Amino acid sequence: MEIPDNVIVKVICGEINDIRGPVEGIAAQPTLFDVNIPAGGSFEYSLNQNQNVAAYIFKGTAYFDDNVEVEELTSVVFGEGDSVRIEARNNSVRALLISGVPLNEEIAWNGPIVMNTEGELKTAFNEFRNGTFIKT
């Protein structure tokens, strides 16, 4: 979808200008946009209340909000806010914009498995060893 300043946004998850991405039903209510901004352009997105925001810059140097400069192949994580603005000043910018509501849950992690408690983690590894971890 194209928006002002010839910005092109591919909506993977979430919604913008009545365009919904194909991924739905996730508890954190995430948005995931692939944003292409031509040199001299900008993109601003209003967030749902209490969302955290992160961005990964694939191409170019991007400027966020209060002149925070983020170079190519770098990510930036913001806290809560009500909007995010990305500017492409001297070059075009391609960025992955990610936002979501924090779940504020405990995390137990070991290798490729992430659960909420050590007990759940132990159960998951037992199921993995027994071949019952993947359920259909």
Side-chain angles (χ1 to χ4, degrees):
M1 95 178 272
E2 191 171 318
I3 55 179
D5 282 345
N6 294 317
V7 174
I8 297 172
V9 178
K10 294 178 185 171
V11 182
I12 300 162
C13 188
E15 181 178 348
I16 186 169
N17 296 350
D18 296 324
I19 304 286
R20 294 195 65 73
V23 179
E24 295 183 351
I26 299 174
Q29 303 165 21
T31 58
L32 181 55
F33 301 151
D34 181 348
V35 183
N36 289 281
I37 308 168
S42 66
F43 171 74
E44 187 161 356
Y45 180 69
S46 296
L47 303 166
N48 293 330
Q49 193 171 26
N50 300 321
Q51 284 188 317
N52 288 339
V53 181
Y56 179 77
I57 308 305
F58 288 106
K59 177 184 158 205
T61 300
Y63 295 85
F64 289 84
D65 300 326
D66 295 326
N67 290 321
V68 175
E69 182 178 329
V70 181
E71 296 179 359
E72 189 170 280
L73 304 179
T74 305
S75 60
V76 61
V77 177
F78 297 94
E80 293 180 4
D82 56 4
S83 69
V84 63
R85 178 179 169 81
I86 307 171
E87 291 181 50
R89 294 185 180 165
N90 301 320
N91 51 259
S92 62
V93 169
R94 181 171 177 216
L96 190 62
L97 183 65
I98 308 157
S99 67
V101 177
L103 297 178
N104 297 320
E105 294 182 358
E106 295 294 320
I107 296 174
W109 168 64
N110 188 344
I113 299 177
V114 179
M115 303 301 277
N116 292 110
T117 67
E118 290 296 324
E120 289 175 347
L121 195 58
K122 193 176 284 186
T123 299
F125 273 102
N126 286 335
E127 289 176 349
F128 180 74
R129 281 190 282 279
N130 296 333
T132 59
F133 181 69
I134 304 294
K135 297 175 178 58
T136 56

